[in-house]
Amino acid sequence: MNHQSSPTVPTAGLRAAAAALVSLTEMYAGLPTPYVTIHTYESATIDFQLSTPDGFEQWRTALTVPAEAIELKSYAGDNWLAAAAVFQGVQIRLSGYGIELAPELSAVAA
């Protein structure tokens, strides 16, 4: 068999992330659907990428992330909002794209 599991996170970490994702989709079925990835390198992490700031804000509010915990990120001309939460013991990273900034503000956000 050519499959190798992650050397740092047992499969229980993946199960916990999958269970948290199912719970989130059941609890917040009316929220915008994010692009979702699950990472299991050092710890189980779920990334939610939303294409609008409004979608980001809805998920941030649902996960009770304080507004002051939001970061403005910028890279290669792309700007986004970023925040982190923990749900059922699993790290959730939120990203909200579609942020338009003046060039001088993009340089500050980088």
Side-chain angles (χ1 to χ4, degrees):
M1 196 148 115
N2 291 335
H3 301 336
Q4 294 182 359
S5 61
S6 169
T8 56
V9 176
T11 56
L14 182 57
R15 282 193 304 272
L21 180 58
V22 169
S23 293
L24 285 167
T25 60
E26 290 172 349
M27 290 174 63
Y28 303 113
L31 294 184
T33 303
Y35 174 80
V36 177
T37 57
I38 296 177
H39 302 272
T40 57
Y41 182 67
E42 292 180 2
S43 64
T45 303
I46 302 173
D47 283 342
F48 274 19
Q49 298 176 19
L50 296 128
S51 58
T52 66
D54 182 58
F56 170 89
E57 186 63 16
Q58 289 179 56
W59 276 103
R60 182 197 67 79
T61 301
L63 293 170
T64 64
V65 176
E68 49 277 356
I70 299 171
E71 295 181 58
L72 177 61
K73 304 280 189 170
S74 186
Y75 179 76
D78 196 15
N79 306 298
W80 66 95
L81 301 172
V86 175
F87 181 81
Q88 295 181 350
V90 176
Q91 181 76 20
I92 310 292
R93 294 188 305 199
L94 298 173
S95 300
Y97 293 87
I99 305 293
E100 297 294 328
L101 294 177
E104 60 273 11
L105 293 177
S106 291
V108 172

